[in-house]
């Protein structure tokens, strides 16, 4: 999926992406440092809370 960023669900900051990320990969918010997981929702990658 070619996306430039996702939005942090905690602080609403834009998290920049390389463009080759896939569902299930982990990312960290560069602003609040929360560990997030990428999920496909409505044909777009979104950052969601990492469970566990």
């Amino acid at each position: 999926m070619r996306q430039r960023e996702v939005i942090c669900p905690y602080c609403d900051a834009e998290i920049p992406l390389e463009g080759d990320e896939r569902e299930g990969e982990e990312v960290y918010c560069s602003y609040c440092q929360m560990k997030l997981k990428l999920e496909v929702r409505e044909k777009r990658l979104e950052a969601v809370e990492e469970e566990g």
Side-chain angles (χ1 to χ4, degrees):
M1 300 202 133
R2 292 275 186 202
Q3 267 181 248
R4 293 182 182 223
E5 75 263 332
V6 292
I7 303 298
C8 176
Y10 294 100
C11 69
D12 291 326
E14 293 179 355
I15 303 168
L17 300 175
E18 298 280 326
D20 60 351
E21 289 84 354
R22 296 178 186 260
E23 185 172 28
E25 287 189 42
E26 295 174 347
V27 295
Y28 288 87
C29 176
S30 54
Y31 186 75
C32 71
Q33 304 303 313
M34 289 300 298
K35 184 178 179 180
L36 306 165
K37 186 170 85 173
L38 296 176
E39 286 188 4
V40 175
R41 294 186 177 173
E42 297 183 19
K43 298 184 182 182
R44 288 185 46 85
L45 279 176
E46 291 189 17
V48 297
E49 181 179 358
E50 178 78 64
E51 292 184 23

